[in-house]
Amino acid sequence: MLPQLLAYLLEIIKTQYQIIVYLMGVIVGKSLNLEDLDEPIQKPYRKLQVDDLPIIDVPETLDYRKLLADYEAQHGRPLRPIQRRANAKHRVPDSLTCPRCQAPSSYLYANNGGKGQYQCKVCQCRFNHRNRFTKQAVFRCPHCKKTLEKIKERKEYNIYKCKNNACPFYQANLRRMTKKERQQFQQDPQAFKVRYLFREFLFDFLPLASSSLIKPKVDLSRLAASPHVLGLVLTYYVNFGMSSRETAAAMKDIHGVSISHQTVLNYANSVALWIKPFVDRFPYELSGSFCGDETYIRVKGRWHYLFFMFDAVKKIVLSYRVSPKRDTLSAIQAIDDVLRKLPSLPDDLSFVVDGNPIYRLAQHFFAQHGISFDVRQVIGLTNEDPVSEEFRPLKQIIERFNRTFKGNYRPTHGFGAEEGSVSFVTLFVAYFNFLRPHSALEGRVPVVIPELADLPHMPARWTKLIAMAQAFLQQEAA
């Protein structure tokens, strides 16, 4: 009886499968073969390739004050600001200035009916608020010195291409093609990258801009727990990598302190708000050997990316950005965190990272703002190029740090909110930089603070570190 029932169920499943395939064919507009569905369609995509930096020519800038004086001397009367109608539909933002002569908004007017283009009455410069930088610089191909032509506009960047058929870069790529590739190139030229490309990013992000210091709206003095209990909670939760429930159980079973796992999380979030400015603005003594990498962290059931930047010699974490995307902006922000901590930018500044092209694109973004550094990309697991062979030890250092972090992060099983993930990472970085002895430093902590080193145990060091962070905030706010 059972075999007959199974055979009957299999026939029903096959019939349902055929009905689904038929309906899919009706929707698509053509008949589908059942055998075609067994093998997935694999269409290879061309990987993102990042070319060298372009030649950036900065044209001569004008001074609107001098232009106004010249106009008055020539015409015998001053050039009046634009008289706007009271009910004008298209207004010019007060903060907008001319990218060529820096004339204020009173001399600017909407030039194309509010579609984004403006014109300066002083120097007659036309510009768009999204491409103001292109009026301040001209991009040229580094191989043939020809001006690049903008071919595409994306939400976050513009794409420029060198269309010179005599460009050495273009001709060299054509010569490398095999006979089969040449035939395919004639039929589908979009499948090959043969011309020089450059991406101009339009992020609303200013490198090395000072960020405002926000005082947390949390008063740790009003916590129900004593400072020693708070230090114990942080020691179990951060140092030993225990989950919030394990920490609450340890406090109850070992110390007789009854707290819930949610209280442990509340304590961690409150302390992280106070410690983060101290960690980010501490005057570190850096070596100049920087490396970076990304790892995974789970937030709200989805994988997020954690960008680490690390001083490979001093063993100091310099950036710890949590982002839902593995994009160029996150790489830019991570590198900017390191640049903020440098007293001055050295000429030989470089970052050792993996083969992800977002770091090369970040290098291009900083170059557009006059900040230059090298990016050393260690690709793959084997040393197939000289750069990977030379800089792989630095890359292995950041990989080892990632494993250390994952050992502490794994018991959390992810976070229910992005704030919780940032709080945990902040506390871990504070522990790693100021409290955790490192074997490569002969048992010393990466950042030695005498006030912490003289304390007898870890809970007291956590308490002292929190007090120093509070004093730092009060000093900066004064």
Side-chain angles (χ1 to χ4, degrees):
M1 185 64 183
L2 183 59
Q4 296 177 354
L5 179 60
L6 292 176
Y8 175 73
L9 293 176
L10 289 176
E11 289 296 330
I12 294 179
I13 294 174
K14 290 180 180 179
T15 303
Q16 293 176 341
Y17 181 68
Q18 293 174 355
I19 294 174
I20 293 174
V21 172
Y22 172 76
L23 293 177
M24 290 175 60
V26 173
I27 296 174
V28 174
K30 62 180 181 179
S31 59
L32 297 178
N33 189 1
L34 297 179
E35 296 180 357
D36 295 339
L37 297 177
D38 294 337
E39 295 294 333
I41 299 176
Q42 297 183 357
K43 183 179 179 180
Y45 290 89
R46 177 163 48 87
K47 295 182 178 179
L48 175 63
Q49 300 178 18
V50 181
D51 297 326
D52 296 333
L53 281 170
I55 299 174
I56 304 178
D57 290 341
V58 181
E60 181 182 1
T61 58
L62 304 176
D63 188 353
Y64 77 97
R65 301 179 185 87
K66 185 178 183 303
L67 295 178
L68 291 177
D70 294 342
Y71 182 91
E72 184 175 2
Q74 181 180 357
H75 297 84
R77 56 183 176 84
L79 180 65
R80 296 181 179 180
I82 297 173
Q83 300 295 326
R84 308 189 192 278
R85 297 178 181 178
N87 57 349
K89 296 181 180 180
H90 312 299
R91 290 190 170 275
V92 178
D94 296 336
S95 60
L96 190 64
T97 59
C98 174
R100 187 181 181 189
C101 68
Q102 306 304 316
S105 61
S106 58
Y107 289 95
L108 306 178
Y109 57 88
N111 190 50
N112 59 347
K115 295 183 180 180
Q117 188 184 76
Y118 302 94
Q119 182 169 347
C120 176
K121 187 178 180 180
V122 180
C123 66
Q124 307 304 318
C125 174
R126 295 187 181 94
F127 64 95
N128 190 290
H129 72 285
R130 290 181 60 84
N131 69 342
R132 295 181 74 248
F133 184 78
T134 60
K135 296 298 180 180
Q136 301 173 4
V138 176
F139 303 125
R140 299 185 185 277
C141 175
H143 305 280
C144 65
K145 310 299 188 296
K146 296 293 185 180
T147 302
L148 302 179
E149 181 178 340
K150 182 168 64 174
I151 60 172
K152 293 181 181 179
E153 293 185 0
R154 295 289 187 256
K155 181 179 180 181
E156 296 181 340
Y157 58 87
N158 296 327
I159 300 180
Y160 291 79
K161 176 188 287 188
C162 177
K163 291 190 175 182
N164 180 19
N165 292 331
C167 178
F169 182 83
Y170 173 66
Q171 293 295 332
N173 288 331
L174 291 181
R175 288 194 298 268
R176 292 192 191 98
M177 290 185 181
T178 62
K179 184 177 180 180
K180 182 178 179 181
E181 289 175 341
R182 286 179 177 272
Q183 296 176 353
Q184 185 180 357
F185 177 71
Q186 296 295 331
Q187 300 176 356
D188 186 16
Q190 302 297 328
F192 297 84
K193 181 189 176 303
V194 293
R195 295 187 182 272
Y196 175 84
L197 295 178
F198 170 70
R199 290 167 178 81
E200 175 205 8
F201 289 97
L202 307 173
F203 297 133
D204 186 16
F205 179 83
L206 186 60
L208 299 179
S210 58
S211 58
S212 60
L213 190 64
I214 301 176
K215 185 176 180 179
K217 299 179 181 179
V218 180
D219 189 359
L220 294 178
S221 63
R222 296 184 179 181
L223 294 180
S226 65
H228 181 68
V229 170
L230 181 60
L232 286 172
V233 169
L234 295 175
T235 301
Y236 288 127
Y237 184 63
V238 182
N239 299 33
F240 297 153
M242 299 172 63
S243 66
S244 58
R245 297 182 184 275
E246 292 173 339
T247 300
M251 293 297 297
K252 175 65 174 178
D253 298 341
I254 299 176
H255 306 282
V257 178
S258 180
I259 59 175
S260 65
H261 77 281
Q262 185 60 49
T263 301
V264 173
L265 297 177
N266 294 342
Y267 288 173
N269 294 335
S270 300
V271 172
L273 289 174
W274 283 97
I275 286 186
K276 184 173 176 58
F278 182 80
V279 175
D280 293 343
R281 297 171 180 264
F282 190 86
Y284 298 104
E285 295 181 2
L286 304 179
S287 67
S289 298
F290 305 128
C291 51
D293 196 16
E294 323 92 55
T295 187
Y296 296 98
I297 187 170
R298 202 164 185 84
V299 181
K300 295 182 179 179
R302 296 181 178 273
W303 287 114
H304 282 47
Y305 301 93
L306 178 56
F307 287 76
F308 279 123
M309 285 290 167
F310 193 70
D311 189 317
V313 177
K314 297 299 184 75
K315 313 301 179 185
I316 300 174
V317 183
L318 302 175
S319 180
Y320 48 99
R321 293 270 181 171
V322 178
S323 173
K325 298 180 180 180
R326 198 177 195 175
D327 56 1
T328 304
L329 180 59
S330 300
I332 290 173
Q333 293 173 337
I335 294 176
D336 187 65
D337 290 338
V338 180
L339 300 181
R340 289 169 183 263
K341 297 175 175 61
L342 296 175
S344 61
L345 298 181
D347 296 334
D348 57 346
L349 178 62
S350 64
F351 293 88
V352 178
V353 294
D354 55 18
N356 196 324
I358 60 176
Y359 294 105
R360 290 287 305 279
L361 296 176
Q363 179 192 24
H364 290 188
F365 173 82
F366 282 99
Q368 295 176 30
H369 293 81
I371 303 173
S372 301
F373 54 82
D374 293 330
V375 172
R376 315 290 188 181
Q377 292 188 301
V378 179
I379 301 174
L381 300 177
T382 57
N383 298 327
E384 298 181 359
D385 57 273
V387 176
S388 298
E389 182 177 1
E390 180 179 358
F391 295 99
R392 184 169 297 279
L394 292 179
K395 186 65 169 58
Q396 291 174 339
I397 290 175
I398 188 67
E399 293 286 357
R400 179 66 183 88
F401 168 76
N402 282 341
R403 291 195 296 270
T404 302
F405 169 77
K406 289 179 181 179
N408 285 53
Y409 155 75
R410 191 172 293 109
T412 64
H413 303 291
F415 303 92
E418 187 172 350
E419 293 78 8
S421 64
V422 174
S423 297
F424 180 84
V425 176
T426 301
L427 293 176
F428 175 81
V429 171
Y431 161 65
F432 191 92
N433 287 353
F434 301 102
L435 302 177
R436 180 182 182 272
H438 204 287
S439 58
L441 301 175
E442 299 180 354
R444 294 181 290 105
V445 296
V447 182
V448 178
I449 301 179
E451 293 88 341
L452 299 177
D454 297 336
L455 296 176
H457 47 69
M458 190 59 66
R461 294 171 190 165
W462 268 113
T463 304
K464 182 61 177 179
L465 183 62
I466 296 172
M468 295 178 65
Q470 290 176 315
F472 172 80
L473 279 175
Q474 295 174 357
Q475 181 180 0
E476 290 289 328

